[in-house]
Amino acid sequence: MRSGSKQSPKLFTRRSFWAAPCIAVFLVGASAFACGIGSFALFTSVVIASFVGLNEFGRWRYKANLVLCLGAAVTSAIAGVFTMTEIVSLFSLFVLLSVYIFYYKKRSDNVIVTMNAFAEMLSLSRTFDDLVENAWRGLEQMAPDFAVFLVLEDREERLYLPAYSGEKPKILKKNDGTVWRTFSSGRSQIIRKINPGVDLPLDHDAMSIVSVPMKVKNEKLGVIQIEAPAVDAFDDYDLERLSLAAYITARELCVFCDFEDTGSEEKSDKQQEDQQPEDKTPKSPEQKSDESKDKESSITERKDEKSHASD
């Protein structure tokens, strides 16, 4: 029986050792068949499918897969099965495909590296003000061409812009603008073309907005909002990356909140200990005799002190 929880996609998959040899055999056989019937379209599709399959399911490295597939194209060119124009077009297609794969691989690697550096920078913050300053600077480095706003909630349930980059704190009036809508609903949103009277951007030159709430365990802490001076400047991929940055920031903010809560709990424990009633259990005769001896010794010491003072 399946549970109703949503499963996350697999990031670590097992790659079989035999996948790459099987795909290589398929490449050789299908390429020979395509060359036998003289179909360049079939040959191209076989080479590209083999290249993608080797990179996705095989254990061989990317460069080895590229050399293997290009070797099949070179072999067909030397054999004279296809014309030189067709082989050049296949090489051009391979170059474009390789650039495309490298671009998205580099793009995903940049996200991982940037978020790791961002989380490490926030973890080194010693005070709450340092955390806010580092978070704002890190977000600004991610979006240098846009206006970045870090909005937090105070103890009176008001939203405010904290004091970062030398600016003074600013209380935001409660309205139906983008910041308050995102915070109240707890949902991220993209506004591709803003309506100044409805969306109420924080930057006067803003034309599009991406806004993400900061929350931990259904506890809302604030909003991260990025505003661009161009229409349709953000997409769903930008929303996912900003959501990850907002979660990292919220976790670090939660650390400071937990620190304050633990301090208050320690104080309350001490107060409870002070307010505990004295132990009224009956004492043994030995304990009573010891207490009486202590009282007698203290009385004699006081008498001696008085006699010395009178002398």
Side-chain angles (χ1 to χ4, degrees), residues 98-279:
S98 301
V99 171
Y100 182 78
I101 293 176
F102 268 119
Y103 168 74
Y104 274 97
K105 185 177 183 301
K106 186 68 175 177
R107 190 178 181 183
S108 60
D109 291 343
N110 288 338
V111 173
I112 297 173
V113 172
T114 302
M115 291 302 171
N116 284 336
F118 181 66
E120 183 178 1
M121 180 176 62
L122 296 187
S123 64
L124 297 176
S125 302
R126 296 184 177 181
T127 63
F128 179 79
D129 294 335
D130 291 341
L131 174 61
V132 172
E133 183 74 20
N134 292 333
W136 179 77
R137 290 190 181 279
L139 293 169
E140 196 175 44
Q141 291 175 2
M142 297 181 196
D145 299 328
F146 305 138
V148 179
F149 298 96
L150 182 64
V151 183
L152 300 177
E153 183 190 23
D154 61 8
R155 295 181 179 179
E156 299 179 2
E157 297 183 353
R158 299 178 301 179
L159 295 183
Y160 71 99
L161 292 171
Y164 50 77
S165 186
E167 299 290 337
K168 295 182 179 180
K170 180 182 178 182
I171 301 295
L172 299 180
K173 295 181 179 180
K174 191 170 184 178
N175 49 39
D176 295 331
T178 306
V179 175
W180 277 100
R181 287 204 308 267
T182 302
F183 181 78
S184 300
S185 63
R187 297 179 180 178
S188 306
Q189 57 178 331
I190 298 177
I191 301 176
R192 304 185 185 277
K193 186 178 181 180
I194 67 171
N195 184 350
V198 176
D199 300 316
L200 301 176
L202 301 177
D203 185 29
H204 298 291
D205 299 329
M207 298 296 293
S208 57
I209 297 173
V210 57
S211 185
V212 175
M214 292 184 293
K215 55 183 180 179
V216 177
K217 296 180 180 180
N218 295 326
E219 185 70 23
K220 292 177 287 187
L221 305 177
V223 175
I224 295 178
Q225 185 162 297
I226 300 179
E227 301 178 0
V231 177
D232 202 11
F234 304 106
D235 55 12
D236 294 335
Y237 189 65
D238 297 325
L239 185 65
E240 293 176 359
R241 289 183 293 182
L242 188 60
S243 298
L244 179 57
Y247 179 75
I248 294 172
T249 307
R251 291 298 301 179
E252 294 298 328
L253 289 172
C254 188
V255 169
F256 283 91
C257 295
D258 289 342
F259 178 78
E260 293 178 357
D261 292 339
T262 53
S264 62
E265 289 177 0
E266 290 178 356
K267 292 179 180 179
S268 62
D269 293 339
K270 289 181 179 180
Q271 291 176 357
Q272 290 179 0
E273 291 178 358
D274 295 338
Q275 294 176 359
Q276 285 181 355
E278 296 181 354
D279 190 9

